[in-house]
Amino acid sequence: GKRVLITAGPTFEAIDAVRGIINLSSGKMGYAIASAASNAGATVTLIAGPVHLPKPAVQKFVSVTSAEQMLEAVKKEVDDCDIFISVAAVADYRPQTYEPQKIKKVNQPLTLELVPNPDILHYVAHLEKPPFCVGFAAETEKLDQYAQKKRQQKRLPLIVANLAQEAMGANESTLILFDDQGKHILPQAPKTELARQLIKHIGLLLEK
């Protein structure tokens, strides 16, 4: 009965009262992984950004909006987990300032200053006693190269890569796993099936 912490979905970074920065992540993969881990007997905590999906049957569900809120939620939960699976498509940047009122349209360009968001996976992977960390790399090109680089930079035992343009919002996907043993391809299948195979692969790595 492992304790698994999962982040899922996009984050929403507010610009003003009615607008913000968001990406196309549907959260389907993260929710599928949460269900698969739960079905495999794990105790699952799911931290999710804004998605339109029915809540999966997990032990604990935490709803967040922004990357900073997601990091705070992860910090609260991470001491109690054996495995951290970072599936959320966290916005890389957020607006430097937030306008509490709607910014009115004027007939000239609007300049937004963006600042980098915290790197949640890097934070967890570099804790003194980190859990077993699994990262996701959604790329639009050079999948192998970028995923391997991310795995090395963040010191991850396992990274899961997919092509963003194929996976975003879709019910099916293809996953490529990179670990110390090399490269493993999970051919195109429903995300629910890929999630089951991924949880099985993590289990095998933990047994080694």
Side-chain angles (χ1 to χ4, degrees):
K2 295 284 184 193
R3 299 165 303 170
V4 183
L5 178 62
I6 299 169
T7 60
T11 65
F12 178 86
E13 312 299 330
I15 296 168
D16 66 11
V18 295
R19 303 183 187 93
I21 296 170
I22 197 162
N23 60 46
L24 295 172
S25 170
S26 64
K28 286 174 187 171
M29 193 74 229
Y31 275 53
I33 292 167
S35 294
S38 194
N39 290 340
T43 302
V44 179
T45 297
L46 177 63
I47 299 170
V51 299
H52 303 286
L53 295 171
K55 204 185 288 184
V58 293
Q59 275 65 42
K60 189 169 184 183
F61 181 85
V62 183
S63 178
V64 296
T65 304
S66 69
E68 290 182 306
Q69 287 173 355
M70 188 171 276
L71 176 61
E72 286 314 304
V74 166
K75 282 179 176 176
K76 283 196 183 100
E77 304 294 339
V78 76
D79 290 346
D80 290 330
C81 80
D82 306 301
I83 303 165
F84 175 58
I85 310 178
S86 172
V87 198
V90 179
D92 290 332
Y93 299 92
R94 68 180 184 276
Q96 185 162 25
T97 56
Y98 167 74
E99 296 294 332
Q101 305 300 328
K102 179 182 170 183
I103 299 168
K104 301 306 285 181
K105 183 179 176 182
V106 291
N107 216 1
Q108 59 201 49
L110 171 72
T111 303
L112 276 183
E113 188 84 26
L114 301 178
V115 295
N117 261 325
D119 187 326
I120 298 170
L121 180 55
H122 186 277
Y123 166 81
V124 175
H126 288 76
L127 288 170
E128 200 174 318
K129 288 184 181 169
F132 183 92
C133 287
V134 180
F136 264 70
E139 304 294 351
T140 53
E141 57 172 1
K142 298 180 186 165
L143 195 62
D144 287 34
Q145 186 186 330
Y146 287 152
Q148 289 281 35
K149 189 177 171 190
K150 186 171 178 178
R151 186 169 109 81
Q152 284 151 8
Q153 282 176 340
K154 300 197 184 183
R155 304 206 300 240
L156 306 173
L158 175 63
I159 195 158
V160 182
N162 58 20
L163 280 169
Q165 58 268 48
E166 286 178 11
M168 289 286 196
N171 290 316
E172 293 205 348
S173 186
T174 301
L175 296 182
I176 304 168
L177 280 45
F178 297 94
D179 58 24
D180 291 343
Q181 277 72 51
K183 175 179 173 180
H184 318 263
I185 296 172
L186 303 184
Q188 183 167 357
K191 287 181 176 176
T192 47
E193 173 56 24
L194 292 173
R196 197 184 63 76
Q197 291 179 35
L198 175 62
I199 291 298
K200 192 175 166 187
H201 189 87
I202 292 168
L204 292 171
L205 290 181
L206 287 168
E207 281 169 18
K208 287 191 168 133

